[in-house]
Amino acid sequence: MAHAYLDDVKHYLLDLQDRLCRQLAEADGGATFREDAWERPEGGGGRSRVIEGGGVFEKGGVNFSHVHGDTLPPSATAARPELAGRGFHAVGVSWVLHPTNPHIPTSHGNVRFFIAEKTGEAPVWWFGGGYDLTPFYPVHEDVLHWHRVARDACAPFGDDVYARYKRWCDDYFYLKHRDETRGVGGLFFDDLNEGGFERCFAFQQAVGDSFLDAYLPIVERRRDTSWSERERAFQLYRRGRYVEFNLVWDRGTLFGLQSGGRTESILMSMPPVAEWHYGWTPEPGSAEERLYRDYLRPRDWLDEAQGDADE
């Protein structure tokens, strides 16, 4: 039964990778994804696809992986110690997009599925994933669009699902050492197995399938916005926060490294260029200060928007 589940999810994820790459390359208009297939000596492998130097994306990647082994890594059992010592299969698609234009947000997403197995016992399975948006020069209508698509994807699964996973995203993509969110959030869920396999799998598909509806309209609206070297410098500085989160806090990065995954693919999420400046602060009243003041904290974006509409 477990492997029937695995086959269904794997088929969906491979198709999702194909669709993401095709539509993102069409949106870019200047480059295509190149594929790098790889195998993991301990079991499994994947196919990494990277786009670089395009019309929109300075660097982006959409990776599929299926790895398996005799023992779950510590990062996978930290919250569920009862699974320690089980064999596992982990299959997923992850993507990260770093546009050249500072007015187009960086974005990340992934959808994944785990099965933990032990002889003589029923397999334990769960889903995880989500997506988040990291603007440098945010536009309020873009943030509202992003969260509306996320809310609509969650709506068939319960009235509280969007709010719950939106809060989880705010909490997860939070740089504790900086006391700021990575961006304006989105959705994040993990350890999902309530309601049966079919319902959980349908939710994973809803999240994966909604990403392009959330992201590509923002790309189209902002791709022709002119930008200055000052704005580019700020983008590179804020990309440093992206690196800090991935290397310090991200559980997916840790799982990949602990499980003996392919380092080149795991670190595909890193931006091609980033900068750090000691003690930098934004100028009062600047667009950069506005990002810090109004956007790098949890907000109930859609409730606030409804309140504005009611006034």
Side-chain angles (χ1 to χ4, degrees):
M1 182 66 73
H3 288 283
Y5 289 173
L6 181 65
D7 290 344
D8 289 343
V9 177
K10 187 173 180 177
H11 177 79
Y12 165 72
L13 293 174
L14 287 167
D15 178 67
L16 176 64
Q17 185 192 34
D18 287 342
R19 288 186 283 123
L20 289 172
C21 290
R22 181 174 62 253
Q23 294 185 58
L24 288 167
E26 289 174 358
D28 182 88
T32 58
F33 285 85
R34 58 184 176 89
E35 181 174 298
D36 184 14
W38 53 275
E39 294 184 0
R40 176 175 173 267
E42 297 84 358
R47 58 187 198 188
S48 299
R49 293 179 179 173
V50 175
I51 188 170
E52 294 180 292
V56 170
F57 301 114
E58 187 174 4
K59 181 186 176 188
V62 183
N63 288 349
F64 166 84
S65 66
H66 174 198
V67 300
H68 51 86
D70 296 330
T71 305
L72 277 163
S75 59
T77 59
R80 306 180 70 172
E82 73 276 10
L83 299 181
R86 285 183 175 240
F88 73 95
H89 285 263
V91 60
V93 169
S94 62
W95 57 95
V96 179
L97 300 159
H98 294 288
T100 303
N101 189 325
H103 293 278
I104 305 176
T106 286
S107 191
H108 150 270
N110 71 80
V111 282
R112 56 191 182 273
F113 178 65
F114 288 84
I115 298 177
E117 300 175 304
K118 187 175 181 179
T119 302
E121 298 185 19
V124 178
W125 55 264
W126 67 95
F127 289 90
Y131 46 65
D132 70 298
L133 191 71
T134 306
F136 309 103
Y137 291 93
V139 178
H140 193 69
E141 68 175 289
D142 293 345
V143 178
L144 295 182
H145 165 78
W146 176 262
H147 280 280
R148 283 170 180 147
V149 173
R151 177 199 60 194
D152 292 348
C154 295
F157 301 91
D159 293 339
D160 67 331
V161 173
Y162 163 74
R164 181 155 36 106
Y165 293 154
K166 186 267 183 192
R167 284 194 301 271
W168 199 344
C169 186
D170 289 337
D171 292 342
Y172 182 74
F173 292 105
Y174 185 78
L175 286 81
K176 300 178 181 67
H177 62 291
R178 298 286 191 179
D179 192 25
E180 63 190 39
T181 57
R182 186 166 83 171
V184 297
L187 300 171
F188 182 83
F189 66 99
D190 206 357
D191 300 317
L192 177 65
N193 60 9
E194 297 178 1
F197 173 81
E198 294 299 335
R199 182 176 179 82
C200 293
F201 184 26
F203 180 71
Q204 183 197 62
Q205 292 175 80
V207 172
D209 292 348
S210 66
F211 171 75
L212 292 174
D213 292 335
Y215 188 56
L216 287 185
I218 299 173
V219 172
E220 290 305 312
R221 285 198 290 260
R222 307 303 158 203
R223 64 183 300 155
D224 295 326
T225 303
S226 60
W227 50 274
S228 66
E229 288 304 314
R230 173 175 169 272
E231 291 168 330
R232 172 67 170 172
F234 181 65
Q235 177 196 47
L236 299 186
Y237 175 72
R238 289 300 307 174
R239 280 180 177 177
R241 298 292 206 271
Y242 213 88
V243 174
E244 290 175 20
F245 180 86
N246 281 15
L247 294 182
V248 177
W249 301 109
D250 188 66
R251 284 163 50 187
T253 301
L254 190 59
F255 173 85
L257 296 175
Q258 288 181 348
S259 64
R262 183 172 182 262
T263 301
E264 196 72 12
S265 297
I266 297 165
L267 298 182
M268 171 276 300
S269 60
M270 297 303 173
V273 185
E275 294 182 356
W276 284 261
H277 300 284
Y278 182 79
W280 183 89
T281 57
E283 293 181 13
S286 66
E288 292 80 12
E289 184 192 49
R290 180 170 169 263
L291 172 73
Y292 282 84
R293 185 190 67 222
D294 297 340
Y295 289 89
L296 298 184
R297 58 184 176 85
R299 289 175 57 177
D300 292 328
W301 298 100
L302 300 185
D303 286 346
E304 293 175 22
Q306 183 61 45
D308 292 342
D310 292 340
E311 291 180 356

